[in-house]
Structure formats: structure tokens, C-alpha cells
Amino acid sequence: QVQLVESGGGLVQAGGSLRLSCAASGSTFNMYGVGWYRQPPGLPREMVASVFSSGSTEYSDSVKSRFTVSMNNAENTLALQMNSLQPEATAVYYCSCWNGGNQYWGQGTQVTVSS
């Protein structure tokens, strides 16, 4: 079983930056694919950025070149650096990890971008 705890959300003006962090316990991140998802108000949850067990990364088209995902295996943490934020990035951001048929989620952290 894996427990995930996100932090770093908050309110930021358009054009600003935020850095989200996710701390894992109960297992080690490098056994899993890991990533960030978000759920805007009234919309379904969507993938933002992922790191696979091979080390490769994947980003949604809407955040490419502005968001950077990074993993620290020694500290068992996952980060998401978000730059040039726009109001459409307002959402609850979730950390997730998966291995085969199991997927685990954190409780989410709110990111609000004001115009």
C-alpha cells in the first residue's frame, strides 16, 4: 500500500509560478509509474505529467514547455514545477502512482490562478 501526500498548492496571479510536491510512504516510487493529474471545476480528471519506470516523461499538450515533473528516488518525492500559470490551470492537483492494476491517489491540493 502506498500513501501519497501533496503540498504546495495555493493562489497565484496569472503568469506566476508554483511548485507542487508529493511525498510517498509505504513503498518506493521507483517501483511505479508516477505522475500528476488535475481536475478543474466541473470537469473530469486529466493527466498533466507522468514519469514512467523507464525514466521517460510525458506531458499533456496544454502544459508542455511550462511544467516540469521531477522525481527524487532518494527522498521518495515527486515534484511539479509550474511556470507561466494561466487561469485555466485552476484545479485540484493530485499525485498518483501505479503498478499493473493498482493506482493510488493523494488527497489533492488546490491551485487557483487569478486573472
Side-chain angles (χ1 to χ4, degrees):
Q1 189 76 338
V2 181
Q3 293 80 45
L4 304 171
V5 179
E6 303 97 336
S7 60
L11 174 64
V12 64
Q13 289 187 330
S17 298
L18 279 176
R19 184 176 178 86
L20 305 182
S21 295
C22 175
S25 60
S27 185
T28 55
F29 259 160
N30 61 8
M31 296 176 59
Y32 296 77
V34 297
W36 291 94
Y37 288 69
R38 67 186 179 189
Q39 187 164 17
L43 294 174
R45 196 172 297 186
E46 61 181 5
M47 190 278 293
V48 175
S50 297
V51 183
F52 299 100
S53 55
S54 64
S56 63
T57 57
E58 180 180 355
Y59 295 89
S60 70
D61 289 342
S62 62
V63 307
K64 278 180 183 176
S65 78
R66 297 185 298 114
F67 289 16
T68 303
V69 62
S70 58
M71 186 165 64
N72 186 320
N73 288 328
E75 297 183 357
N76 226 25
T77 57
L78 182 73
L80 183 69
Q81 178 66 42
M82 305 185 294
N83 298 328
S84 301
L85 283 163
Q86 298 303 314
E88 54 266 31
T90 294
V92 178
Y93 284 71
Y94 297 90
C95 175
S96 181
C97 65
W98 57 90
N99 186 0
N102 299 312
Q103 185 160 13
Y104 303 93
W105 299 92
Q107 83 288 351
T109 185
Q110 176 70 45
V111 171
T112 302
V113 184
S114 63
S115 57

